[in-house]
Amino acid sequence: MGSKVDRRIIKSQNLIQSTFLTMLIEEGFDEITVKKITEKADIGRKTFYLHYADKFDLLDTMVKRQLEELEKICEWKKEKGFIEGSVIWFNYFEENRAFFEALFRSESTVSFRKQLLDFMKVQLSKKIGEINPEKDAEILLRFLSMAVLGIVESFVLNQLNSGTEKIAKQVGELLEQTIALASR
């Protein structure tokens, strides 16, 4: 039998995470301190430290949860082509824009970018078939992942003028074309 998590633990973690998310969106990661989180959540510092080592640990926990959601979406859309799959992918970022925007705007969230990049590389590697043996698959994966990460960041930060579906479809088309070229 699996061990049941105490509801008080879940309640405390949810309170800390929702408070952190609100502060992340309103103030930005760099301005947040554990003291500010505990004051705003009306909990003791000891309660915070029972669940998280520091604000970076809390951020990592929340990023992992987002990546788990993205993993579910990728699993669900794996039979779709790059264009339709990209639309689904970008819709997820649209729905969670505030969270991702706060992370992309912060100077201190390098680990988030690395985790998202690594996640993209894994997902793309699952979709890429045979490539020309004369080409280095790792370079292709890194190139595509960096390109998609850059577009996602620009999209989330409202630096692109097109709508979600148009951006997503173009990204999907570019992925298809680049992979087709690498297969030759």
Side-chain angles (χ1 to χ4, degrees):
M1 267 179 113
S3 62
K4 192 174 177 183
V5 178
D6 188 325
R7 290 190 322 196
R8 292 172 296 181
I9 292 172
I10 294 170
K11 186 177 177 182
S12 293
Q13 289 175 339
N14 287 341
L15 175 62
I16 293 167
Q17 289 182 16
S18 65
T19 301
F20 178 76
L21 181 58
T22 300
M23 294 175 73
L24 183 66
I25 292 166
E26 292 174 358
E27 302 173 27
F29 182 78
D30 300 322
E31 300 301 315
I32 298 173
T33 63
V34 171
K35 182 177 187 221
K36 287 181 180 180
I37 294 169
T38 58
E39 287 174 354
K40 191 162 187 157
D42 196 25
I43 59 170
R45 290 171 67 93
K46 188 174 183 178
T47 301
F48 179 91
Y49 288 116
L50 280 172
H51 302 286
Y52 307 101
D54 54 25
K55 73 177 189 175
F56 294 96
D57 182 38
L58 172 55
L59 176 65
D60 281 344
T61 300
M62 293 182 72
V63 167
K64 283 179 187 153
R65 189 171 60 186
Q66 291 291 333
L67 292 178
E68 287 168 3
E69 286 298 313
L70 279 169
E71 179 73 38
K72 290 176 191 172
I73 289 168
C74 289
E75 188 61 32
W76 172 74
K77 74 177 185 77
K78 72 180 177 184
E79 301 303 320
K80 313 251 186 238
F82 279 107
I83 296 170
E84 190 177 353
S86 293
V87 171
I88 294 166
W89 177 266
F90 273 83
N91 282 331
Y92 177 81
F93 282 100
E94 174 74 29
E95 292 166 12
N96 296 281
R97 181 184 296 265
F99 175 75
F100 290 108
E101 181 177 4
L103 294 180
F104 280 126
R105 287 197 185 283
S106 172
E107 298 296 321
S108 301
T109 55
V110 173
S111 70
F112 158 70
R113 280 184 176 82
K114 183 182 179 334
Q115 288 178 58
L116 188 55
L117 179 65
D118 290 344
F119 177 83
M120 288 178 177
K121 282 175 55 180
V122 167
Q123 294 307 314
L124 283 168
S125 71
K126 293 177 183 178
K127 294 282 276 188
I128 294 174
E130 292 287 317
I131 68 161
N132 184 328
E134 295 175 11
K135 309 235 171 137
D136 187 333
E138 179 62 25
I139 292 173
L140 176 65
L141 281 173
R142 185 163 291 279
F143 175 80
L144 293 174
S145 301
M146 292 293 290
V148 173
L149 179 64
I151 296 298
V152 167
E153 182 173 0
S154 295
F155 168 74
V156 166
L157 295 176
N158 290 314
Q159 296 171 340
L160 301 172
N161 296 325
S162 299
T164 304
E165 191 165 332
K166 185 175 182 181
I167 293 167
K169 284 182 176 180
Q170 190 168 353
V171 167
E173 289 169 2
L174 289 168
L175 286 169
E176 282 180 347
Q177 292 167 7
T178 305
I179 292 167
L181 283 172
S183 299
R184 295 185 200 162

